[in-house]
Amino acid sequence: MLEFADMPQLNDPVVIAAFEGWNDAGECASGVIEHLRTVWQAQLVATVDPEEYYDLQVNRPRVISVQGERSLRWPSTRVYLAHNSPLGRDVLLVQGIEPSVRWRTFSGEILDFCFARGATQLITLGGLLADVPHTRPMPVSVTTEDEALLTKGLAEKSTYEGPTGIVGVIGELAQRRGLPTLSVWAAVPHYAGGPPSPKASLALLGCLEELLSCVIDDTDVIEAARAWERGVDELASSDEEVAEYVASLEEAQDTAELPEASGDAIAREFERYLRKRGEDGSARG
């Protein structure tokens, strides 16, 4: 891993990671990292050498123009440091592409870098295609193998068995090495799974707010999610079979969530509202 800046002593850093590819339906997870980079003014501090891990015929370099000068941008994984987050602690944002080869070595390199900077927690983000309606909030699951996090009620044990992506490999290795790890996944409607999927990104951001007890500026994502939903509404209304299918998904989800309508779900939303209101009040003050 190549470093681009002298790293200061970090304050209780949390690592938030997402990777384009199999783990990232609708690019909702990588979209969250991109958003956090912007709103938290994160600075590039390290990058992975693409020659070691990527098939460049699959993930080709791109020609870009910066202030009139043309250059190559290589596919890679990059680490950004956010000092200006609302967490009261530093954040390392890992943004990249699922590697083509040497996954264990790649994961070890990422984790070695984070451990050397004193990382105390890892949150991996992902998106999966699912039978969910675009008209409802996107479901988000949070899992962990860490007993302390399970005791706090922040997540559940995963019961999934089957193929996994790079976030699963990094998360498992991190947990084995003693780094408390949370895996956060948003469900993306399979009939509208093409990127971008800002409504799923918004769901992931809301979950991060709960897990980290902070307020994240999500104004741009809210607007993008509304525009996305209107677009899918128009698509669904033009096809009677799709419209009927969406209605059946809405009924199934509403029925499944009915027992929670007056319980923990509303409490969580109210707490999030109060945090945002407090933040807005402080800003105005």
Side-chain angles (χ1 to χ4, degrees):
M1 179 171 286
L2 307 176
E3 295 185 44
F4 289 93
D6 292 332
M7 293 285 286
Q9 184 70 33
L10 301 187
N11 174 31
D12 189 23
V14 58
V15 182
I16 306 175
F19 297 85
E20 298 175 18
W22 189 86
N23 318 265
D24 193 23
E27 297 181 358
C28 63
S30 56
V32 167
I33 300 295
E34 186 66 29
H35 179 74
L36 295 178
R37 276 183 54 199
T38 301
V39 298
W40 290 349
Q41 301 176 339
Q43 300 299 312
L44 179 65
V45 292
T47 191
V48 171
D49 184 353
E51 294 279 346
E52 297 291 326
Y53 303 108
Y54 294 100
D55 181 342
L56 298 179
Q57 289 184 318
V58 176
N59 295 293
R60 292 181 178 272
R62 299 177 62 87
V63 178
I64 62 173
S65 179
V66 180
Q67 296 180 343
E69 293 189 11
R70 292 165 65 82
S71 63
L72 288 177
R73 181 176 177 85
W74 294 90
S76 188
T77 292
R78 296 173 174 84
V79 183
Y80 299 84
L81 172 61
H83 273 307
N84 299 317
S85 79
L87 277 64
R89 61 196 289 199
D90 289 314
V91 181
L92 291 170
L93 300 172
V94 180
Q95 182 179 34
I97 304 169
E98 188 171 64
S100 305
V101 295
R102 303 177 66 213
W103 281 25
R104 286 179 294 184
T105 304
F106 174 89
S107 301
E109 187 172 0
I110 295 291
L111 290 175
D112 286 345
F113 179 87
C114 295
F115 274 114
R117 274 75 199 170
T120 57
Q121 186 178 22
L122 169 65
I123 300 176
T124 62
L125 305 178
L128 72 159
L129 298 176
D131 293 328
V132 295
H134 72 281
T135 53
R136 299 293 187 267
M138 302 290 100
V140 177
S141 65
V142 184
T143 60
T144 187
E145 297 300 314
D146 185 89
E147 292 299 331
L149 294 174
L150 288 169
T151 300
K152 292 178 181 178
L154 295 176
E156 299 179 348
K157 268 187 173 293
S158 175
T159 58
Y160 172 77
E161 294 183 2
T164 190
I166 192 62
V167 293
V169 174
I170 288 179
E172 197 264 352
L173 181 58
Q175 192 64 47
R176 285 192 178 189
R177 293 178 61 174
L179 182 63
T181 300
L182 291 163
S183 178
V184 184
W185 286 73
V188 178
H190 69 86
Y191 59 87
S197 188
K199 192 168 182 178
S201 294
L202 186 64
L204 289 172
L205 285 170
C207 186
L208 284 177
E209 287 185 325
E210 293 181 15
L211 294 173
L212 299 172
S213 299
C214 70
V215 175
I216 300 172
D217 181 358
D218 56 7
T219 306
D220 291 345
V221 185
I222 290 174
E223 292 302 317
R226 288 172 178 166
W228 175 85
E229 186 168 342
R230 288 194 297 269
V232 182
D233 281 343
E234 293 175 4
L235 178 66
S237 65
S238 66
D239 188 314
E240 185 175 342
E241 289 186 5
V242 173
E244 290 178 356
Y245 179 63
V246 172
S248 69
L249 293 177
E250 290 173 338
E251 182 179 0
Q253 184 164 325
D254 291 346
T255 301
E257 293 181 350
L258 188 60
E260 292 191 15
S262 59
D264 292 343
I266 288 180
R268 288 194 298 270
E269 284 300 312
F270 186 61
E271 289 172 1
R272 185 181 176 199
Y273 165 76
L274 290 179
R275 284 199 300 271
K276 284 187 174 294
R277 185 176 180 183
E279 175 102 344
D280 292 343
S282 299
R284 288 193 297 269

